[in-house]
Amino acid sequence: ERSDHYMEPKMLRSQFDTLEIPAYGLHLNISCTPEKLVSIITKYHMMQKSEFGIIGMGVMGRSLALNVLDKNIPLSVYNRVDGNEAYLLSEFLGKADAKQVSGFTSMEKFVDSLAIPRKILLMIPAGAAVDAVLTALDPYLSENDIVIDGGNSHYCDTKRRHDALAKKNIRFLGVGISGGEQGALHGPSMMAGGAREGYDQIKRILEAISAKDAHGTPCVTYLGPDGCGHFVKMIHNGIEYAEMQLLAELFSILKQRLSYPKISKLFREWNATELSSFLLEITATILTVKEDNHYLLDRILDTASSKGTGAWSAEAALELGVPASMISASVEARFLSMLKEKRVNASQKPDSAAVTPEIDLDVVKNAYAFARLINHYQGFEIIRSASGENDWHVSLSEIARLWTNGCIIRSALVSSLADRFKKNEDLMNDETIVRQMVRLEGSVRKLINAAFNSRIALPAFSSALNYWYALTTGNSSANLIQAQRDYFGAHGYGRTDSDPGLSFTTDWSPHHG
Ligand code: 6PG
């Protein structure tokens, strides 16, 4: 009817011909009578499908499920019923609001209860269990369904699974979820990677259940393809290992002079400064907890276990050729702690020269600030290198922002890094940081001297200082290594008086003897 604009019927036809009918939702033939349409819609609502599904009702799975229900998202949950998992599902259903959740012990019925495309989150232990559940799911999934692995899977496994499922047009995502039980329940930090189209369809749900940063923005982002999300979560855990180790080392030295309540008080004071962090806060609390009038800490065996992410971070750093000495030192400290029997047998009385360390609390505080900076620097450098290597193009600022709330390593430092990385992704190009390191390094030296004089091992602190000294030494002794390599293997070396890209070799034998 418009005079200045019309579309020929055949053009309109071509639009209908290329229209893709969405796979989701209810499709109605509008030539039916209105009564008929209403009756179809009513029936559909009565058999309403769940919007989201979770497999695995362990601690993290059930906490996330409660979080999803709290956001009024209709949910189906699945858990197998065998062995020590016999009651997990029924226990969860007993606690949850029955109107919003359906529980299943049959994989087929669970999958069938979900709206298409199905959105299924796996909250099961990393490793073989993930492959087993994917195999069990396989016969019931259809194209475009979305499967999310929310566990601490190795990023290479995630890539393998992503690629295998992509061949079947199943959208697979590896999402690192941090924050422990409380985070899962009230809002975790989430690092997503994998099938982008899949992420776009679950984004609304993940954002609803996530922690929020200081500006109210959800602490969840799509970071990159295949294993990218799990890689970043792995490095989060690597940094977590070193942060925990630093606090354990501080404890080992401070307890020589201070009572537990005094150390706790000191940590609480620090927690009101730029040193504040979730791990510092919980450590202050742990130091006060008593059982039958004894500190619980004194009854906990000094053998620290690990599930793998710390060691994987160190391995990844080695593969990329990025020095991450603090993560390695912290993983090794846990390994060493496991050698309890050996340690007890070999334990020495402090030698006569060993003294109770003199502790200057400002020195300790400065040393802690220094080592945390190095730890975060090393961790982010691994991510920066992996991102370059794999073309992920991740933003370190965005990763730091994700870690400002909900996750285990949330801290004032991480929040400040979210801003700093906007200007400079390499902290060693950030003059304020470098000046701070220079100002603090003397304190680490003093702390290490005091500890070593008292036979107290400080692997994470000393690796931080060694790293810093090496990084800030313009002329190192690596020329000798090059000469040795050339001597026994003619591996070649670059020369100071020539183009550094050129390789020279020397016949060293005439100089022998
Ligand atoms: C988190 C934690 C969480 C867990 C890890 C580390 O971010 O919420 O890192 O993933 O604590 O399993 O555990 P291990 O110390 O046992 O390796």
Side-chain angles (χ1 to χ4, degrees):
E1 288 175 359
R2 289 200 217 151
S3 58
D4 58 345
H5 177 95
Y6 76 98
M7 187 185 278
E8 283 187 36
K10 67 173 186 208
M11 277 181 75
L12 193 56
R13 179 73 257 162
S14 73
Q15 298 213 0
F16 277 114
D17 287 345
T18 53
L19 186 72
E20 280 178 31
I21 296 176
Y24 55 86
L26 179 60
H27 300 260
L28 299 175
N29 180 347
I30 57 164
S31 63
C32 297
T33 62
E35 290 75 12
K36 177 79 182 161
L37 291 175
V38 169
S39 112
I40 297 172
I41 293 168
T42 318
K43 271 201 203 119
Y44 175 80
H45 275 289
M46 285 173 65
M47 42 171 276
Q48 184 65 282
K49 304 269 181 181
S50 298
E51 212 182 320
F52 198 59
I54 300 183
I55 294 181
M57 287 294 101
V59 177
M60 290 296 282
R62 62 175 177 261
S63 306
L64 281 167
L66 290 174
N67 186 346
V68 169
L69 291 174
D70 187 53
K71 306 300 171 309
N72 294 317
I73 297 166
L75 178 72
S76 291
V77 294
Y78 168 94
N79 206 92
R80 55 180 191 172
V81 257
D82 51 23
N84 55 2
E85 296 192 21
Y87 301 104
L88 275 187
L89 185 68
S90 52
E91 272 167 18
F92 171 75
L93 293 173
K95 269 197 233 152
D97 174 358
K99 285 196 289 295
Q100 288 258 40
V101 64
S102 319
F104 297 90
T105 55
S106 145
M107 194 63 97
E108 183 175 6
K109 290 193 175 132
F110 164 74
V111 175
D112 193 46
S113 75
L114 297 167
I116 286 174
R118 298 158 183 120
K119 305 173 183 79
I120 301 170
L121 171 65
L122 314 184
M123 289 309 298
I124 52 180
V130 177
D131 289 313
V133 168
L134 289 176
T135 306
L137 266 176
D138 185 64
Y140 313 116
L141 294 177
S142 340
E143 289 197 0
N144 300 327
D145 282 350
I146 301 156
V147 180
I148 310 139
D149 176 6
N152 276 327
S153 290
H154 193 284
Y155 69 101
C156 292
D157 284 338
T158 302
K159 179 169 169 36
R160 168 177 59 78
R161 290 168 187 143
H162 168 273
D163 294 351
L165 287 167
K167 291 197 186 113
K168 301 179 182 182
N169 281 332
I170 309 278
R171 292 157 176 179
F172 187 71
L173 287 132
V175 179
I177 302 183
S178 178
E181 184 176 4
Q182 288 305 306
L185 198 54
H186 302 295
S189 163
M190 289 178 277
M191 293 134 257
R196 173 87 226 199
E197 319 84 313
Y199 179 77
D200 292 339
Q201 296 188 60
I202 55 164
K203 184 174 175 216
R204 191 186 66 81
I205 300 174
L206 295 189
E207 289 189 347
I209 63 170
S210 70
K212 309 294 176 290
D213 70 12
H215 305 288
T217 310
C219 291
V220 55
T221 299
Y222 176 82
L223 293 170
D226 47 70
C228 179
H230 273 150
F231 186 94
V232 172
K233 172 60 173 39
M234 173 184 81
I235 301 301
H236 164 284
N237 284 21
I239 296 174
E240 170 187 302
Y241 270 54
E243 290 290 286
M244 293 165 76
Q245 177 64 25
L246 286 175
L247 285 164
E249 292 178 15
L250 285 183
F251 172 59
S252 68
I253 193 158
L254 288 170
K255 74 178 179 181
Q256 309 293 321
R257 291 273 181 193
L258 302 180
S259 65
Y260 289 7
K262 287 217 165 102
I263 304 175
S264 171
K265 185 166 168 284
L266 179 72
F267 286 176
R268 276 192 208 295
E269 282 164 18
W270 289 359
N271 207 38
T273 70
E274 70 289 347
L275 282 179
S276 92
S277 75
F278 167 73
L279 285 169
L280 182 62
E281 181 189 325
I282 65 163
T283 308
T285 305
I286 288 168
L287 284 161
T288 60
V289 175
K290 284 189 169 180
E291 194 185 71
D292 315 323
N293 236 3
H294 291 276
Y295 287 108
L296 178 53
L297 202 48
D298 290 337
R299 293 183 172 173
I300 296 180
L301 257 177
D302 60 342
T303 50
S305 28
S306 46
K307 294 200 203 77
T309 46
W312 298 344
S313 301
E315 276 168 21
L318 285 175
E319 269 166 29
L320 289 160
V322 177
S325 52
M326 290 189 68
I327 297 179
S328 299
S330 307
V331 172
E332 284 167 14
R334 288 200 195 185
F335 291 169
L336 242 158
S337 79
M338 296 301 281
L339 308 176
K340 177 75 176 171
E341 209 185 311
K342 238 184 218 180
R343 288 195 289 116
V344 170
N345 290 340
S347 62
Q348 304 285 316
K349 292 207 169 50
D351 62 45
S352 51
V355 286
T356 310
E358 286 304 326
I359 302 167
D360 174 337
L361 294 181
D362 284 334
V363 163
V364 182
K365 189 178 176 199
N366 287 342
Y368 181 49
F370 174 97
R372 291 190 64 219
L373 272 170
I374 297 277
N375 178 30
H376 285 75
Y377 178 59
Q378 290 187 341
F380 276 101
E381 282 291 287
I382 307 174
I383 298 177
R384 200 158 71 91
S385 162
S387 175
E389 195 78 11
N390 297 293
D391 278 331
W392 287 337
H393 305 284
V394 296
S395 147
L396 296 191
S397 165
E398 176 60 5
I399 292 171
R401 188 195 68 75
L402 289 182
W403 294 348
T404 58
N405 200 9
C407 71
I408 303 295
I409 62 165
R410 61 185 184 265
S411 70
L413 173 60
V414 169
S415 301
S416 74
L417 291 179
D419 284 334
R420 292 208 166 274
F421 283 134
K422 280 186 194 151
K423 287 179 227 115
N424 221 323
E425 288 222 318
D426 184 341
L427 289 182
M428 288 305 134
N429 294 333
D430 183 326
E431 275 178 28
T432 318
I433 296 280
V434 174
R435 266 202 304 275
Q436 206 174 341
M437 305 300 295
V438 171
R439 184 171 60 77
L440 299 173
E441 67 166 63
S443 294
V444 197
R445 197 164 47 235
K446 283 185 194 149
L447 182 77
I448 292 172
N449 279 340
F452 280 13
N453 282 335
S454 304
R455 298 193 85 261
I456 295 171
L458 294 187
F461 274 101
S462 40
S463 63
L465 191 62
N466 270 320
Y467 173 83
W468 173 248
Y469 281 169
L471 191 69
T472 50
T473 298
N475 282 316
S476 77
S477 54
N479 53 349
L480 180 60
I481 307 283
Q482 285 298 78
Q484 290 163 336
R485 291 178 70 240
D486 195 55
Y487 190 113
F488 60 69
H491 293 295
Y493 55 86
R495 293 185 64 99
T496 54
D497 51 3
S498 176
D499 176 350
L502 297 177
S503 182
F504 295 85
T505 188
T506 295
D507 178 6
W508 298 86
S509 48
H511 306 274
H512 195 217

